[in-house]
Amino acid sequence: MPTDRSSLAYLEAMGVDLWIRRDVSGDESGVEAVNELVDESVDESVDVADESAPPPAGDEPVEVTAEPETQTDVAAAAAAPADTVTVDSPADATQVPLEPETIVESPATEPADDETQDPVELIARADLESLQTMVSGCERCPLSRTRNKTVFGSGNPDADWLFVGEAPGRDEDRQGEAFVGKAGQLLNAMLFALGLTRDDVFIANVLKCRPPDNRDPMGEEVVRCEPYLHRQVDLVQPKVIVAMGRFAAQALLRSGDNISRMRGQQYEYRETGIPLVVTYHPAYLLRTPDQKGKVWDDLLQARRMINGG
Ligand code: URA
């Protein structure tokens, strides 16, 4: 039961009301939290126009409902170098192959005589502005055909905090900006509780394009897209990365582990020395508001890491 001022401010910003009842014996020193009511106002205050649509990719429950096979396959595909991506293997439930004719050749199959033509090399050398331009014209996977706008990410290029989500949803695809829908409003509340605004942090996604109908990202899409995120991390050089949701955590850490086990651990992002904290996706919190306290714990852990603790 959080009692310090910043934790209470967080819970208030997140729409959680704490009701404290006096001990029945009348002993006020023994006052304990007896009821934690969740105020659904966060949900109500946001755009509900998409209620009938399938939940955004990031809205998928991030733990218990995740199927182990899916986790493993996504992690395995994400871990595979781009040149090992199989584009013509038989489809199965989790590894639907990209159509060969829709795929822009992977670096490994391109002529190696001029290294500067290697798209991954170019990405790895781009500054933030040219990286954004590359993303806006990206055709490295078939999501380029179905997207409306690419979603590069935004915020302070010198941010201490880098928040990473899964993929754009409907609103993000329309507006070209990360976390502008319901989950984004909750993320704003989380930032507010930390004394931050979106201008203080950098927010990005693993995928820069919306998967059709908000389906789960495919491993191949992650492989094609993740060089952009890697470069964003290189350029921003955050003091901490907060991976929001199972998918972001698994992709960033190349892990098939369950998010419940990943939370609370101290990770390092790709041997860069940048600490990484795993927490639940804000969209998951919209559906499971009683988990908001755990996310606050994770954010405090991230803040401690920024402060060197
Ligand atoms: N969910 C995400 O993971 N990212 C967004 O930008 C929006 C919703």
Side-chain angles (χ1 to χ4, degrees):
M1 170 70 193
T3 52
D4 65 281
R5 192 175 295 174
S6 60
S7 297
L8 292 172
Y10 164 81
L11 291 170
E12 190 184 346
M14 298 287 283
V16 177
D17 288 338
L18 297 184
W19 291 77
I20 300 176
R21 187 183 68 189
R22 289 178 183 223
D23 186 278
V24 285
S25 69
D27 176 7
E28 290 192 25
S29 67
V31 170
E32 295 217 14
V34 292
N35 194 10
E36 214 170 274
L37 295 181
V38 176
D39 181 348
E40 301 286 356
S41 60
V42 170
D43 293 5
E44 289 162 9
S45 65
V46 296
D47 172 24
V48 290
D50 200 28
E51 290 289 53
S52 59
D59 285 11
E60 286 308 307
V62 288
E63 49 174 348
V64 206
T65 55
E67 292 166 16
E69 299 79 25
T70 306
Q71 294 176 3
T72 306
D73 287 349
V74 168
D83 61 347
T84 67
V85 171
T86 304
V87 295
D88 56 357
S89 62
D92 63 38
T94 56
Q95 290 291 297
V96 180
L98 303 175
E99 299 164 45
E101 69 274 17
T102 66
I103 290 182
V104 175
E105 290 289 88
S106 70
T109 58
E110 290 180 347
D113 52 339
D114 182 356
E115 211 186 26
T116 59
Q117 295 308 303
D118 180 336
V120 175
E121 275 291 318
L122 292 174
I123 290 169
R125 278 189 258 143
D127 61 22
L128 214 52
E129 198 182 329
S130 43
L131 194 66
Q132 182 156 12
T133 305
M134 286 179 185
V135 167
S136 65
C138 181
E139 295 182 350
R140 285 171 55 76
C141 87
L143 293 183
S144 60
R145 291 181 169 182
T146 51
R147 73 179 177 227
N148 183 25
K149 289 189 175 169
T150 56
V151 178
F152 180 68
S154 59
N156 183 345
D158 297 316
D160 287 348
W161 298 75
L162 173 61
F163 288 84
V164 180
E166 176 176 325
R170 182 201 60 166
D171 295 318
E172 292 76 19
D173 176 67
R174 281 186 185 158
Q175 297 182 39
E177 196 166 335
F179 282 96
V180 290
K182 288 187 267 188
Q185 294 188 26
L186 190 54
L187 178 57
N188 290 348
M190 290 157 58
L191 295 177
F192 177 78
L194 286 165
L196 301 168
T197 70
R198 290 176 74 116
D199 292 336
D200 297 317
V201 304
F202 201 93
I203 300 174
N205 285 304
V206 176
L207 292 192
K208 310 305 186 203
C209 297
R210 181 196 189 196
D213 301 321
N214 299 317
R215 65 156 167 72
D216 276 350
M218 294 179 189
E220 293 90 343
E221 292 158 359
V222 176
V223 169
R224 300 303 170 115
C225 208
E226 68 180 358
Y228 296 122
L229 181 60
H230 295 331
R231 185 61 183 154
Q232 285 175 309
V233 178
D234 275 356
L235 290 164
V236 174
Q237 284 293 310
K239 291 191 177 154
V240 72
I241 298 172
V242 180
M244 299 183 290
R246 166 181 65 85
F247 183 83
Q250 291 181 344
L252 285 166
L253 294 171
R254 306 202 156 171
S255 163
D257 212 351
N258 186 296
I259 189 164
S260 308
R261 281 195 295 271
M262 296 167 106
R263 275 196 58 249
Q265 310 281 338
Q266 194 161 323
Y267 293 103
E268 177 186 353
Y269 169 73
R270 285 166 61 96
E271 299 180 5
T272 56
I274 301 173
L276 187 151
V277 169
V278 173
T279 195
Y280 293 131
H281 195 286
Y284 174 68
L285 290 186
L286 289 172
R287 300 204 293 206
T288 321
D290 61 346
Q291 301 293 304
K292 288 175 180 175
K294 288 185 184 170
V295 171
W296 182 239
D297 291 342
D298 300 334
L299 295 175
L300 292 182
Q301 184 197 359
R303 186 154 69 185
R304 280 193 299 276
M305 288 172 165
I306 287 179
N307 295 332

